[in-house]
């Protein structure tokens, strides 16, 4: 029994599919020579024979899918087996976003059944909220954000470098 781990970046251009290899290496799966599947509709994507053929998921295999998008997406139900908890973690998703999405400052909104969980990734100064790109995250099975290290993660309100600098000076008093 194998676990098939894929990450999907959904944009207006289509759906980019990455197969996760060992050591956090991502292999872009090309659709007929193009970088992305031309339609951004997930139901249409998974109904196509193309993904079924390239994924080669057997009946007793499990899936670990991660969907990232600039808007909330409705993820279809899968007939594949899933683990109890997704193996995706914040660090993995941040590394993927830095490498492939290339947004300077972004807020990842993890959609789960209980509530939305948010973490902010900042690579430059933020002066206004419109400089933060919203990226929606949905995992199958459900993403569970780790509790340790959450003190080190910036909240949406703490994103300005100046704000954090002065806050650090005040904390030293």
């Amino acid at each position: 029994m194998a676990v098939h781990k894929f990450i999907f970046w959904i944009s207006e251009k289509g759906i980019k599919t990455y197969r996760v290899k060992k050591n956090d290496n991502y292999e872009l799966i090309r659709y007929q020579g193009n970088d992305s599947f031309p339609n951004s509709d997930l139901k249409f994507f998974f109904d196509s024979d193309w993904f079924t053929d390239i994924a080669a998921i057997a009946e007793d295999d499990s899936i670990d899918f991660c969907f990232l998008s600039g808007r909330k997406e409705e993820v279809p139900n899968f007939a594949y087996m899933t683990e109890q908890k997704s193996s995706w973690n914040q660090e993995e998703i941040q590394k993927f976003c830095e490498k492939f999405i290339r947004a300077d400052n972004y807020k990842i909104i993890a959609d789960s059944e209980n509530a939305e969980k948010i973490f902010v990734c900042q690579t430059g100064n933020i002066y206004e909220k419109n400089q933060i790109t919203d990226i929606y995250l949905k995992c199958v099975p459900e993403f569970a954000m780790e509790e340790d290290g959450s003190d080190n993660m910036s909240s949406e309100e703490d994103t300005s470098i100046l704000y954090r600098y002065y806050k650090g000076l005040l904390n030293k008093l």
Side-chain angles (χ1 to χ4, degrees), residues 19-169:
R19 183 182 315 217
V20 181
K21 300 285 191 175
K22 292 182 181 172
N23 301 328
D24 295 331
N25 290 325
Y26 300 97
E27 173 191 6
L28 176 64
I29 307 297
R30 296 184 177 275
Y31 175 77
Q32 298 178 352
N34 298 316
D35 285 350
S36 60
F37 187 80
N39 191 326
S40 60
D41 180 16
L42 283 173
K43 180 161 177 29
F44 185 74
F45 177 81
F46 285 105
D47 285 345
S48 72
D49 291 334
W50 174 77
F51 181 75
T52 307
D53 292 344
I54 62 113
I57 301 172
E59 284 183 25
D60 61 341
D61 290 350
S62 295
I63 60 169
D64 195 0
F65 291 170
C66 180
F67 300 91
L68 294 168
S69 177
R71 63 182 188 276
K72 267 192 168 181
E73 294 288 338
E74 194 61 40
V75 176
N77 292 326
F78 296 102
Y80 308 120
M81 294 174 39
T82 59
E83 300 291 324
Q84 290 287 82
K85 178 182 156 192
S86 177
S87 67
W88 292 97
N89 60 43
Q90 285 179 236
E91 184 180 332
E92 246 182 326
I93 291 173
Q94 284 179 290
K95 284 181 182 177
F96 177 84
C97 290
E98 288 170 11
K99 188 172 184 179
F100 296 104
I101 297 176
R102 294 186 181 104
D104 287 336
N105 302 301
Y106 51 94
K107 172 176 60 171
I108 297 181
I109 304 164
D111 187 19
S112 68
E113 290 179 13
N114 303 332
E116 287 184 343
K117 301 167 185 160
I118 298 172
F119 54 102
V120 176
C121 306
Q122 179 179 354
T123 59
N125 280 336
I126 299 174
Y127 300 106
E128 297 177 2
K129 286 203 183 242
N130 64 357
Q131 292 177 304
I132 302 173
T133 305
D134 289 348
I135 298 175
Y136 293 89
L137 165 75
K138 181 76 174 168
C139 291
V140 175
E142 188 171 322
F143 178 77
M145 193 177 298
E146 310 89 29
E147 293 304 318
D148 12 320
S150 60
D151 295 341
N152 298 333
M153 294 300 296
S154 300
S155 70
E156 188 176 359
E157 291 77 30
D158 293 346
T159 54
S160 170
I161 290 175
L162 289 172
Y163 178 84
R164 288 189 290 160
Y165 172 75
Y166 287 115
K167 184 177 175 183
L169 289 177

